[in-house]
Amino acid sequence: MAATDLERVSNAEPEPRSLSLGGHVGFDSLPDQLVSKSVTQGFSFNILCVGETGIGKSTLMNTLFNTTFETEEASHHEECVRLRPQTYDLQESNVHLKLTIVDAVGFGDQINKDDRPIVDYIDAQFENYLQEELKIRRSLFDYHDTRIHVCLYFITPTGHSLKSLDLVTMKKLDSKVNIIPIIAKADTISKSELHKFKIKIMGELVSNGVQIYQFPTDDEAVAEINAVMNAHLPFAVVGSTEEVKVGNKLVRARQYPWGVVQVENENHCDFVKLREMLIRVNMEDLREQTHSRHYELYRRCKLEEMGFQDSDGDSQPFSLQETYEAKRKEFLSELQRKEEEMRQMFVNKVKETELELKEKERELHEKFEHLKRIHQEEKRKVEEKRRELEEETNAFNCRKAAMEALQSQALHATSQQPLRKDKDKKKF
Ligand code: GTP
Ligand code: MG
């Protein structure tokens, strides 16, 4: 209201307000307004299919929505579990539904049996929504909500018990998504075995504390049917898009040499129950539970992790700025601590390297000294040898000179001998 209007209101004498009514007045039209708004806005519904390769996921989706979604068969040799979302725009009457089917490709095939990608995918969708909510300019009205509303968990119809992989995966998912367990390919197991198998599965889920989605019984309109259906879980389903003539009607069924399994015959399987519960009765509850329970839990944990908290009754109201300041200080001190830690690490490393270098230098020095000693020793020995050799040479030279002298003396003596003989001859 403008300031002038405000002034006029406060200065004016209180007058009885009159309202001209045209037709029916009342807030009982609110639900109609809501419906009309929601219809204009359209709906989104996201289904996650988890089950081993070839268990019948795509066939069931096609059967549920009576269409043929484009799918590619998964290989049994995928390197890891990969999530493949596909979105379709569906329309029934004037209601638009953005349906996303997410396939956990390669699940149950891997040796390491990693369910992490599934958990991460669900969290990533929550995170995207949270980021949109936290934006200054948010557009949640036309935001494509990709949060998973339901996880159809396909159980292999072994007739024995749940695999440990099933229990572990469901346990990890149950706080993040509404799980509806279904026994796939229920036509491959006999009726009495199926009955026992269902009881066994429910027992194992309870004893392992796995929380599966319970159809709500708080709304009178659907309480009865939902209570009955809860007792039928897990639904045993058969999927087929093939049409077979039964009597004079074409029905979706699987034909075998010994007979026909009709998908929509409640005596043959629980397909109709699943379709009723999932699409006709509880689709909105699944969407709501996703928002109010699973997303809320994710959001709370995430915000608490970021340092936000609600005030308790006595303390100051929760202030975004204070939290931001506190978080910033915490971050800075953490940064400082890390910096200091790294600096210390660097100093230690330098000291270590210095010590290592000194040690190496000392070793080198010792080695050098050792070599030097060896060298001197060698030098000394060579010197001695040289001296000995010199002495020997001198002695030899002396001996040689003496010999030469002797030789020349001898020579001289022999040369004098004939002369004397001649003299002697002359005497005679
Ligand atoms: P991937 O996407 O490759 O993991 O397989 P999928 O789980 O989507 O299985 P898909 O729907 O492709 O079905 C695999 C095979 O199982 C096909 O030959 C289907 O005809 C068959 N099949 C599907 N549903 C049923 C069923 O309810 N009963 C029986 N007996 N066979 C089924
Ligand atoms: Mg498939």
Side-chain angles (χ1 to χ4, degrees), residues 159-397:
H160 292 278
S161 53
L162 281 172
K163 294 180 190 164
S164 54
L165 172 67
D166 296 330
L167 283 170
V168 169
T169 309
M170 279 196 255
K171 186 81 203 114
K172 281 202 190 146
L173 297 184
D174 71 354
S175 60
K176 295 181 176 292
V177 68
N178 301 310
I179 302 176
I180 299 184
I182 52 180
I183 301 170
K185 297 189 179 179
D187 53 333
T188 59
I189 183 169
S190 78
K191 207 164 180 167
S192 58
E193 278 175 339
L194 187 65
H195 182 66
K196 282 188 211 144
F197 192 35
K198 277 191 176 190
I199 295 172
K200 187 127 201 218
I201 290 173
M202 289 313 282
E204 281 180 331
L205 290 178
V206 171
S207 60
N208 285 281
V210 178
Q211 296 260 311
I212 58 167
Y213 174 70
Q214 291 292 304
F215 303 119
T217 48
D218 44 6
D219 177 357
E220 261 178 42
V222 289
E224 199 178 327
I225 176 131
N226 277 352
V228 173
M229 290 299 154
N230 277 330
H232 272 93
L233 282 169
F235 293 135
V237 294
V238 173
S240 174
T241 45
E242 198 185 319
E243 296 207 311
V244 177
K245 199 156 189 190
V246 174
N248 52 4
K249 261 173 62 185
L250 270 179
V251 292
R252 285 184 299 168
R254 298 189 78 83
Q255 194 163 23
Y256 294 105
W258 54 88
V260 173
V261 182
Q262 296 171 36
V263 169
E264 284 163 280
N265 184 331
E266 287 204 54
N267 288 321
H268 291 191
C269 73
D270 299 331
F271 173 80
V272 173
K273 294 187 182 76
L274 172 68
R275 188 176 58 193
E276 286 284 294
M277 289 294 97
L278 184 67
I279 302 174
R280 204 174 67 82
V281 184
N282 295 306
M283 198 184 241
E284 184 46 30
D285 186 69
L286 284 162
R287 285 161 36 86
E288 202 192 300
Q289 290 284 324
T290 302
H291 186 73
S292 60
R293 206 168 121 222
H294 301 302
Y295 171 66
E296 206 52 35
L297 179 66
Y298 177 84
R299 181 181 168 280
R300 201 186 71 209
C301 294
K302 198 76 194 183
L303 292 183
E304 278 173 359
E305 208 177 277
M306 285 160 79
F308 296 106
Q309 53 190 326
D310 294 331
S311 63
D312 47 33
D314 313 327
S315 58
Q316 286 287 308
F318 155 79
S319 149
L320 253 179
Q321 193 168 350
E322 272 171 25
T323 310
Y324 172 74
E325 250 335 293
K327 202 71 199 165
R328 194 168 156 269
K329 274 191 193 140
E330 193 185 307
F331 173 75
L332 284 178
S333 63
E334 178 68 13
L335 198 74
Q336 247 172 5
R337 194 185 62 75
K338 283 231 164 88
E339 241 178 51
E340 181 58 31
E341 208 175 275
M342 280 179 76
R343 207 181 57 77
Q344 198 54 46
M345 237 165 74
F346 180 73
V347 169
N348 288 349
K349 199 89 202 151
V350 168
K351 273 187 188 158
E352 246 171 55
T353 319
E354 228 172 58
L355 273 176
E356 269 172 28
L357 278 174
K358 271 194 182 145
E359 181 65 14
K360 284 234 162 72
E361 194 184 324
R362 195 185 57 75
E363 276 172 18
L364 265 176
H365 191 72
E366 262 176 23
K367 219 172 185 170
F368 174 74
E369 286 296 321
H370 178 69
L371 282 173
K372 204 169 134 188
R373 268 199 306 278
I374 290 175
H375 174 72
Q376 277 173 350
E377 187 67 17
E378 296 271 296
K379 201 173 154 190
R380 193 184 56 73
K381 278 181 188 162
V382 169
E383 200 59 40
E384 214 161 85
K385 275 249 155 43
R386 196 177 60 79
R387 226 178 18 255
E388 277 171 17
L389 215 66
E390 252 175 31
E391 276 168 13
E392 269 173 33
T393 318
N394 288 345
F396 173 75
N397 284 341

Side-chain angles (χ1 to χ4, degrees), residues 51-60 71-75 84 103-106 154 184-188 237-240 254 256:
E52 64 186 48
T53 305
I55 192 71
K57 301 182 288 290
S58 306
T59 311
L60 190 77
T71 49
E72 54 188 71
E73 252 178 50
S75 119
R84 186 180 58 202
D103 219 336
V105 182
F154 290 68
K185 297 189 179 179
D187 53 333
T188 59
V237 294
V238 173
S240 174
R254 298 189 78 83
Y256 294 105

